[in-house]
Amino acid sequence: MKTWLPKLLKLCVLALIVWFAWGYFFPSETQRICKRLNSFSRAVSFASGSSLVIRMAKAEGSRDYFATNVVVTLDGVHTQAESITGRAEVMNIISLAHTYLQELDLKFEDPIVKVSPDKTRATMDVIGRIIIDESRRDRIHQLLRMKWIKTNDKWRIERVETLKMLGRETGTDFGLDVNE
């Protein structure tokens, strides 16, 4: 029995390595979408003090994350619903944000992804956490629904809808107003 134990342990370790390697080299569609979303958040975010040239380059680099016919519906963010249609319009908004904001930190948390049976479309419910100019303490927590489409073996955002405002914090270091 003692001679089989080291062999069994080696076999278990080898199986575990193969299992992790398979997941790394052949990720599921859900993992690919989540990785793409995290990459998008890094492409859009920029730190305080970044040069305008770097910010504009990052803004232009986010173009590939959207389908050409993307639709972004912002309901409940402002007093009236707003709809942004087309990749050019979305890129214009991103460029304006990179031009006029001092800092933008976009993070996505707790994604729930449902991939269609043909694996060309997916729906994701995710919490978006946006920090605009940390020194002013402007934070938004928003529940979003994103629809993805797979084109040319890349997942691209086809539709974004705001579902529910989870929280909004604004204020200075001395006073903080929380509006929900």
Side-chain angles (χ1 to χ4, degrees):
M1 176 107 177
K2 290 181 181 180
T3 61
W4 286 98
L5 190 58
K7 290 179 184 178
L8 183 61
L9 185 60
K10 287 179 185 177
L11 184 62
C12 287
V13 169
L14 180 64
L16 192 61
I17 290 171
V18 168
W19 185 69
F20 278 116
W22 184 267
Y24 179 78
F25 290 112
F26 304 104
S28 69
E29 295 300 325
T30 300
Q31 290 171 326
R32 291 180 68 195
I33 292 169
C34 290
K35 185 176 179 181
R36 187 100 166 123
L37 183 66
N38 289 333
S39 179
F40 168 69
S41 72
R42 286 190 303 274
V44 171
S45 300
F46 60 92
S48 179
S50 299
S51 75
L52 184 60
V53 174
I54 291 172
R55 289 187 286 178
M56 295 313 291
K58 287 185 82 164
E60 186 58 33
S62 63
R63 175 180 301 278
D64 190 45
Y65 293 95
F66 297 101
T68 54
N69 58 344
V70 65
V71 175
V72 177
T73 305
L74 304 172
D75 189 15
V77 176
H78 299 291
T79 54
Q80 62 186 26
E82 186 176 336
S83 184
I84 303 166
T85 308
R87 185 180 352 191
E89 196 171 340
V90 169
M91 291 308 301
N92 188 33
I93 299 294
I94 291 173
S95 294
L96 285 172
H98 280 236
T99 301
Y100 292 107
L101 296 177
Q102 298 297 318
E103 176 184 11
L104 178 64
D105 184 20
L106 177 62
K107 299 260 194 254
F108 295 100
E109 300 169 350
D110 302 328
I112 299 172
V113 181
K114 296 176 188 165
V115 180
S116 68
D118 64 354
K119 297 187 180 185
T120 60
R121 295 191 176 275
T123 302
M124 171 189 282
D125 289 345
V126 65
I127 297 172
R129 190 193 75 199
I130 306 160
I131 299 175
I132 303 169
D133 299 335
E134 176 66 31
S135 62
R136 288 184 15 215
R137 301 181 79 173
D138 292 337
R139 295 183 178 104
I140 301 167
H141 302 276
Q142 180 77 47
L143 182 60
L144 303 168
R145 175 162 292 147
M146 303 175 106
K147 298 199 179 192
W148 295 77
I149 186 166
K150 190 175 184 181
T151 55
N152 299 330
D153 203 38
K154 276 191 180 176
W155 286 98
R156 290 185 170 86
I157 301 168
E158 183 178 44
R159 185 170 189 81
V160 178
E161 302 169 1
T162 56
L163 297 179
K164 183 179 181 184
M165 177 74 74
L166 300 176
R168 184 176 190 132
E169 302 173 18
T170 59
T172 63
D173 290 334
F174 300 110
L176 183 65
D177 298 324
V178 178
N179 300 321
E180 292 190 28

